[in-house]
């Protein structure tokens, strides 16, 4: 029995990779043959004179690998495709006809990770550019020439409440359509953006701000204001028409309709997706639909139907939701201004409950109203990762002249 030609150990050895060696040195050579140790220098001062311990000679890793090559080991003797499961005498082990064919996953076959396996990187990334400077100019004109007030109001909240009824106009007559087209969407943007601008002119402290600050606040609050206002109008419609969707044929439509002021109610049906393709993919369409329907699992419309908030309460909810959301986005000086606005309106709602309604224990009711606002904000935060993912994969087909105006809106 020959000793190992690498380490010199005595025992039952065999031929490994072209040299007689022990299993330990053979395993070391297979691991280290293509490693950094192949071109490394000696890492020990004892390798030249060898260190013998119990009939074994020890080297550092670079020297041991060099000893393997000197003994005659070659990497060409590696058996990469050896089938360790093949057994001609066993019927339990399946025979592999072509041992060189390693089963591939779809990801390795196509050459892409599974997370982007079905993303067409060659698909055109053309986007529709939408210039909303017209809306900014109109809002500037509104702020420069506020509507003349011909009413008497005791506090800020009451003035905003009257202003809310003015900008809403007549929403008692409804029209049902089956498709959400570009015209309805653009009309909705224009109506709500300018409606919120007119509504803010009824707030005296807001009128005292610089024009740039006014426009910044308006661009940040108009969409979330529209979401709550939409749910408010739909709750009024459901309360006034409790039997509108009782028949079975329109039960599904009950879950999919939305209302836009100026007499427009839209039924969001599946076929409307084709008309929305000019703006965004089906992925973003589903995100948009989630905004139009109830946020998260909390039924906002149902809660408003049960609570039946008064005009003053709804005005406070709109202001609190809008100013708190904009403050979180703006930070800095604008956040301080909006927090002051919230404090002023909080005093007014306290006066409303205690003096007009004679309700001194109003905490329970107010907490239910604020739960509605929190549910809407929660929906906005939850949608952000999905929209970020849509931007990464170029699923959004809209590009705006003022992108911050549409952040968290489901459109960009």
């Amino acid at each position: 029995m020959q000793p190992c030609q690498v380490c010199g150990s005595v025992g039952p050895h065999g031929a490994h990779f072209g040299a007689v060696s022990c299993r330990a040195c053979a395993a070391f050579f297979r691991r280290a043959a293509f490693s950094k140790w192949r071109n490394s220098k000696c890492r020990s001062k004892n390798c030249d004179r060898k260190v013998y311990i119990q009939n074994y000679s020890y080297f550092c890793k670079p020297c041991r690998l060099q000893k393997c090559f000197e003994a005659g080991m070659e990497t060409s003797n590696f058996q990469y495709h050896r089938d360790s499961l093949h057994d001609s005498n066993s019927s339990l082990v399946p025979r592999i006809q072509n041992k060189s064919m390693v089963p591939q996953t779809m990801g390795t076959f196509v050459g892409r990770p599974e997370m982007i396996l079905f993303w067409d990187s060659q698909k055109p990334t053309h986007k529709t550019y939408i210039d909303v400077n017209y809306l900014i100019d109109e809002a500037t004109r509104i702020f420069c020439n506020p509507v003349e007030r011909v009413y008497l109001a005791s506090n800020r909240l009451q003035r905003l409440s009257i202003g809310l009824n003015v900008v809403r106009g007549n929403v008692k007559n409804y029209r049902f359509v089956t498709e959400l087209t570009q015209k309805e969407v653009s009309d909705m943007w224009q109506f709500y953006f300018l409606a919120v601008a007119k509504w803010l002119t009824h707030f005296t402290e807001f009128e005292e701000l610089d024009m740039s600050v006014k426009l910044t606040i308006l661009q940040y609050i108009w969409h979330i204001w529209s979401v709550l206002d939409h749910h408010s109008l739909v709750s009024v419609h459901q309360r006034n028409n409790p039997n509108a969707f009782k028949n079975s044929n329109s039960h599904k439509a009950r879950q999919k309709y939305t209302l836009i002021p100026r007499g427009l109610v839209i039924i969001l049906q599946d076929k409307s997706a084709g008309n929305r393709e000019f703006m965004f993919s089906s992925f973003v369409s589903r995100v948009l639909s989630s905004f139009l329907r109830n946020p998260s699992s909390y039924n906002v419309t149902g809660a408003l139907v049960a609570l039946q908030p008064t005009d003053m309460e709804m005005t406070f909810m709109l202001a609190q939701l809008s100013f708190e959301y904009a403050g979180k986005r703006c930070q800095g000086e604008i956040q301080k201004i909006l927090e002051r606005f919230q404090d002023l309106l909080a005093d007014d709602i306290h006066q409303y409950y205690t003096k007009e309604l004679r309700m001194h224990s109003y905490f329970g009711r107010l907490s239910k109203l604020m739960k509605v606002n929190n549910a809407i904000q929660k929906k906005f935060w939850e949608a952000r990762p999905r929209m970020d993912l849509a931007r990464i994969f170029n699923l959004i087909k809209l590009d705006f002249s003022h992108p911050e105006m549409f952040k968290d809106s489901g459109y960009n």
Side-chain angles (χ1 to χ4, degrees):
M1 253 178 243
Q2 298 183 30
C4 175
Q5 294 179 318
V6 179
C7 66
S9 63
V10 179
H13 305 308
H16 299 285
F17 310 123
V20 176
S21 69
C22 63
R23 290 181 178 271
C25 290
F28 169 78
F29 179 74
R30 187 179 183 92
R31 291 194 311 270
F34 298 104
S35 68
K36 63 180 180 179
W37 308 119
R38 184 166 185 171
N39 299 319
S40 300
K41 297 181 179 180
C42 178
R43 301 171 62 88
S44 174
K45 298 180 180 179
N46 299 322
C47 292
D48 293 338
R49 46 197 177 91
K50 293 185 183 180
V51 177
Y52 290 94
I53 302 176
Q54 295 182 354
N55 298 327
Y56 290 90
S57 59
Y58 288 83
F59 305 91
C60 65
K61 290 183 179 180
C63 292
R64 186 181 184 186
L65 181 59
Q66 184 62 32
K67 188 72 174 177
C68 291
F69 283 113
E70 292 175 356
M73 291 187 180
E74 297 180 0
T75 57
S76 59
N77 293 326
F78 288 171
Q79 300 181 26
Y80 293 105
H81 306 301
R82 182 175 180 178
D83 180 21
S84 59
L85 296 178
H86 179 69
D87 186 357
S88 59
N89 298 324
S90 175
S91 60
L92 299 179
V93 180
R95 296 173 181 267
I96 300 178
Q97 299 296 331
N98 190 347
K99 300 181 180 62
S100 63
M101 293 297 293
V102 178
Q104 292 185 347
T105 64
M106 184 60 69
T108 58
F109 177 76
V110 177
R112 296 182 187 175
E114 293 183 0
M115 64 174 294
I116 58 173
L117 188 60
F118 300 104
W119 173 49
D120 187 3
S121 60
Q122 304 301 322
K123 187 177 181 180
T125 58
H126 171 73
K127 292 185 178 182
T128 302
Y129 180 79
I130 299 180
D131 188 354
V132 292
N133 279 297
Y134 164 75
L135 295 179
I136 301 296
D137 294 340
E138 280 295 306
T140 304
R141 184 186 61 81
I142 292 173
F143 290 150
C144 291
N145 302 294
V147 293
E148 185 176 352
R149 305 179 184 89
V150 295
Y151 54 80
L152 296 176
S154 59
N155 56 42
R156 308 167 190 83
L157 188 60
Q158 189 174 9
R159 289 195 294 270
L160 284 174
S161 178
I162 296 174
L164 177 62
N165 293 326
V166 172
V167 300
R168 274 182 172 178
N170 183 15
V171 292
K172 294 182 179 179
N173 299 318
Y174 302 104
R175 177 170 62 92
F176 289 86
V177 296
T178 57
E179 296 178 353
L180 182 62
T181 64
Q182 180 179 1
K183 183 180 184 304
E184 279 75 26
V185 173
S186 59
D187 286 347
M188 180 177 63
W189 292 345
Q190 177 173 336
F191 173 85
Y192 272 118
F193 190 78
L194 300 182
V196 175
K198 295 175 182 177
W199 177 72
L200 288 172
T201 60
H202 295 268
F203 194 11
T204 306
E205 283 72 13
F206 180 84
E207 287 291 284
E208 299 172 355
L209 301 176
D210 294 336
M211 182 59 69
S212 60
V213 178
K214 291 180 182 179
L215 292 175
T216 300
I217 294 175
L218 174 62
Q219 292 180 59
Y220 283 0
I221 74 172
W222 76 274
H223 176 68
I224 195 168
W225 192 98
S226 69
V227 171
L228 178 55
D229 185 66
H230 159 262
H231 285 291
S232 172
L233 296 176
V234 172
S235 67
V236 173
H237 175 71
Q238 289 189 3
R239 196 161 56 240
N240 296 334
N241 302 273
N243 301 321
F245 295 98
K246 277 196 172 181
N247 62 79
S248 58
N249 294 332
S250 61
H251 175 70
K252 293 182 179 180
R254 184 179 184 183
Q255 307 299 326
K256 294 187 176 182
Y257 82 90
T258 183
L259 183 146
I260 298 178
R262 295 194 295 186
L264 178 62
V265 174
I266 297 177
I267 307 296
L268 294 180
Q269 295 183 345
D270 293 339
K271 61 181 180 180
S272 65
N275 296 284
R276 287 177 287 176
E277 192 63 28
F278 76 98
M279 295 188 300
F280 29 67
S281 66
S282 58
F283 172 86
V284 186
S285 298
R286 291 193 295 271
V287 176
L288 171 63
S289 298
S290 68
F291 277 104
L292 295 177
R293 293 195 291 270
N294 295 331
S296 301
S297 59
Y298 184 76
N299 189 343
V300 173
T301 303
L304 293 175
V305 171
L307 290 170
Q308 298 186 26
T310 63
D311 290 344
M312 293 281 281
E313 289 176 324
M314 181 51 60
T315 303
F316 178 76
M317 292 175 65
L318 288 168
Q320 190 276 336
L321 175 66
S322 302
F323 294 155
E324 182 180 7
Y325 169 77
K328 291 179 180 178
R329 284 187 57 184
C330 296
Q331 299 295 318
E333 193 63 31
I334 294 181
Q335 185 180 25
K336 295 179 181 179
I337 294 173
L338 295 175
E339 288 177 351
R340 182 170 63 89
F341 288 174
Q342 294 181 67
D343 292 338
L344 295 174
L345 295 175
D347 293 338
D348 291 343
I349 194 67
H350 172 74
Q351 298 294 329
Y352 171 71
Y353 278 129
T354 56
K355 292 185 177 181
E356 292 192 32
L357 300 184
R358 304 294 181 181
M359 184 189 300
H360 297 282
S361 300
Y362 58 85
F363 175 77
R365 178 169 178 80
L366 188 60
S367 63
K368 292 179 181 179
L369 297 176
M370 292 300 98
K371 185 176 181 180
V372 174
N373 285 3
N374 294 337
I376 294 177
Q377 286 202 69
K378 180 181 178 182
K379 182 61 181 181
F380 276 64
W381 310 139
E382 290 177 347
R384 280 189 177 181
R386 297 196 297 270
M387 296 307 298
D388 291 341
L389 188 63
R391 279 189 287 272
I392 291 174
F393 292 106
N394 294 322
L395 298 179
I396 300 177
K397 298 184 178 181
L398 289 183
D399 195 10
F400 296 94
S401 59
H402 296 71
E404 285 298 316
M405 178 175 161
F406 292 88
K407 184 176 178 62
D408 292 330
S409 66
Y411 295 101
N412 75 334

